[in-house]
Amino acid sequence: MIYSQNENATTFIFQDGEYYINDILNVTKENIKFIGLSKNPKSVHIIQNNSEKDGLNIITNNFTMQFISVHVEYNDKIALIVASANNLYIDSCYFYGNKTTFTIYFAGPKTLKAGQSTIDGYNNNILDQNNVFKNNVVYSQWSGDAVSFSLQNNGIFHNNIVRGGKLVIYMCKNSDINKNIFYDSINTGIHISFPSHNVSIINNKIYECIASGIKSSNQTEHGFIGKSPYNLIIKNNFIYDAKIYAIELNNAYKCLITGNKLISTDIYGIYVLASSGVTISKNKISYFDVAIWFETTLNSTVMNNTFLSVYPSQGKNIVKLSDDSSYNSIRDNRSKGTIIYDKYINPSKTIGNDIFNNTHEEYYDIAEEMECMK
């Protein structure tokens, strides 16, 4: 409990110091504000003292929290839970998690149960609305979802730093993931689960994640929901040293990948599986094994991209199509550097693939090499 002499108080000002709690801090009243007085989250700490309890549980609308650190570092306990809550504003806070579960969990409406209930809720826009999480720092050591942004509509996740874990966008609509930085995730950097519609992943930086930088795949917990144009935009992101793929699309339909800079991926720059209607344009991919690989992918386009096979790395292929990838267009791309094998692989079993007007130069100048690292 947080006590006040005024039972109708809605704004709670936290002076510098450490505030220990021994139970979950439930917020159920609307229009509550938690504000750190010094506007420095390193000076105000809410610390869970009970290893069997989560931290903050927000089940209300119009909640604001700014300039506060929350510590819940016990395994299996969550620092911040948000459920059946709308119009939240979480800004300039630090969150310290653990090795076995979420640090931040935006859970969506509590009324939705696993299975058809969640599918119906998604289809009928029964989602939490207008929640904002910005300018925060999240610490995690879990290979699962450090931050779960689930069942949100018009959600904003901006200017955050996530260290050691991944962000999962799970069955969200009309949401914006912008200008975040991800360091050293022990899994993916950003994972989006389909169905999710009209989600934009723009201007993020992802450094040295163990798996793929950005990944999409179908959710499996609630059963098949059908496929419709997702209109996913992955734009102007910087991904460095992803240990599997920089961008990995599974089961995508109508998605745009443009303007990204993908550097030093251990396997493929962009891998697209079982997808259709994907456009990959104006990206710069350097230090790769295979720059782009389509597998079981149809009616997609790769155009106006730049590929640099930078010494001492030697790329194997620029674009590789599997036997069952057809009706794709690969055009107007340029590549430089040493490519060991065929630059563009189009097996004879494919149908209707057009590969034309792509150019290659064996050498590049030092300015191009330096620019690709910026």
Side-chain angles (χ1 to χ4, degrees), residues 161-211:
I161 295 174
V162 179
R163 289 188 174 274
K166 67 180 176 182
L167 165 67
V168 172
I169 311 301
Y170 186 88
M171 297 181 72
C172 292
K173 294 182 177 181
N174 309 307
S175 294
D176 192 26
I177 315 304
N178 198 329
K179 294 184 179 179
N180 304 286
I181 304 176
F182 300 83
Y183 291 107
D184 303 320
S185 171
I186 55 177
N187 199 297
T188 307
I190 301 172
H191 188 156
I192 181 166
S193 292
F194 294 136
S196 285
H197 288 82
N198 304 313
V199 172
S200 297
I201 301 173
I202 300 176
N203 294 323
N204 301 283
K205 296 180 180 179
I206 302 172
Y207 296 95
E208 298 179 316
C209 57
I210 295 301

Side-chain angles (χ1 to χ4, degrees), residues 306-326:
T306 299
F307 308 102
L308 294 179
S309 180
V310 180
Y311 180 85
S313 296
Q314 294 182 332
K316 293 179 180 178
N317 314 107
I318 301 297
V319 178
K320 188 173 182 179
L321 306 176
S322 68
D323 288 344
D324 48 3
S325 293
S326 294

Side-chain angles (χ1 to χ4, degrees), residues 95-230:
F95 297 91
Y96 296 83
N98 56 68
K99 296 180 179 179
T100 61
T101 194
F102 315 105
T103 301
I104 308 294
Y105 184 27
F106 282 78
K110 293 171 68 68
T111 55
L112 301 181
K113 307 302 180 184
Q116 191 63 42
S117 171
T118 296
I119 293 173
D120 292 343
Y122 182 85
N123 287 334
N124 291 294
N125 295 318
I126 302 172
L127 305 170
D128 283 359
Q129 306 281 334
N130 306 318
N131 290 323
V132 176
F133 191 88
K134 62 183 292 189
N135 302 319
N136 303 293
V137 181
V138 178
Y139 296 91
S140 173
Q141 301 174 62
W142 189 38
S143 61
D145 310 348
V147 181
S148 179
F149 211 59
S150 300
L151 296 164
Q152 303 291 307
N153 187 30
N154 293 317
I156 290 177
F157 192 89
H158 283 188
N159 297 306
N160 301 290
I161 295 174
V162 179
R163 289 188 174 274
K166 67 180 176 182
L167 165 67
V168 172
I169 311 301
Y170 186 88
M171 297 181 72
C172 292
K173 294 182 177 181
N174 309 307
S175 294
D176 192 26
I177 315 304
N178 198 329
K179 294 184 179 179
N180 304 286
I181 304 176
F182 300 83
Y183 291 107
D184 303 320
S185 171
I186 55 177
N187 199 297
T188 307
I190 301 172
H191 188 156
I192 181 166
S193 292
F194 294 136
S196 285
H197 288 82
N198 304 313
V199 172
S200 297
I201 301 173
I202 300 176
N203 294 323
N204 301 283
K205 296 180 180 179
I206 302 172
Y207 296 95
E208 298 179 316
C209 57
I210 295 301
S212 297
I214 298 173
K215 178 179 179 179
S216 76
S217 64
N218 285 340
Q219 65 80 25
T220 58
E221 294 81 2
H222 306 293
F224 182 68
I225 199 170
K227 182 182 288 189
S228 59
Y230 296 130

